[in-house]
Amino acid sequence: MTYNKAVKPHIDSKLTDYSDAMSNNNERQAFAALENAHVIGQHSTYYHCLIHYKMLRHGLINKDWRAVFGQVIRIVGAATKTAIGLVPKGNTGGTDISPFKRLPINAENQAILDKINHA
């Protein structure tokens, strides 16, 4: 099974969590769902770029121009660096953190990543 096929249901779940949180006007929970999706999908160029695009849209919805600009930069980075493995493990993808910083992965996301890597 390819990584993209293995990661897809987990990304879809996080994007559903995002939509549900946005429907309930819970911005913090919504963005946390995107951050979790980023951690899970960042080893796939497609999903890495998709999640940064979703983060860019989130910034547009909230008129957060700093986040919009930061996500444009991150989309370019994701599109050009993911395939060669230049992704900082655990990075949540938001503009409140350096795009180069490694972060610890929470237990839930680590369990998902372990499941994907064993698929």
Side-chain angles (χ1 to χ4, degrees):
M1 176 180 296
T2 67
Y3 186 84
N4 279 6
K5 280 188 177 184
V7 79
K8 183 182 185 330
H10 303 287
I11 297 295
D12 289 347
S13 174
K14 297 302 178 186
L15 293 178
T16 298
D17 293 347
Y18 172 77
S19 295
D20 291 347
M22 287 297 286
S23 294
N24 293 319
N25 296 315
N26 190 334
E27 297 289 327
R28 174 173 245 161
Q29 185 178 354
F31 198 77
L34 291 179
E35 290 177 318
N36 287 324
H38 182 270
V39 170
I40 295 165
Q42 71 181 9
H43 294 287
S44 158
T45 300
Y46 173 76
Y47 285 112
H48 197 181
C49 292
L50 175 67
I51 299 307
H52 280 298
Y53 168 73
K54 298 283 187 177
M55 289 179 168
L56 180 143
R57 284 189 54 216
H58 185 82
L60 286 170
I61 290 166
N62 292 294
K63 296 181 174 60
D64 182 348
W65 308 121
R66 182 178 155 273
V68 169
F69 176 75
Q71 290 305 328
V72 168
I73 300 300
R74 283 162 175 78
I75 290 169
V76 172
T80 60
K81 308 290 188 266
T82 304
I84 57 174
L86 292 177
V87 293
K89 185 177 177 181
N91 188 291
T92 55
T95 56
D96 59 336
I97 190 154
S98 167
F100 307 106
K101 184 172 181 153
R102 293 178 66 138
L103 295 170
I105 300 173
N106 69 37
E108 179 185 340
N109 287 340
Q110 188 61 58
I112 292 168
L113 289 169
D114 291 345
K115 184 177 181 179
I116 291 165
N117 289 328
H118 291 357

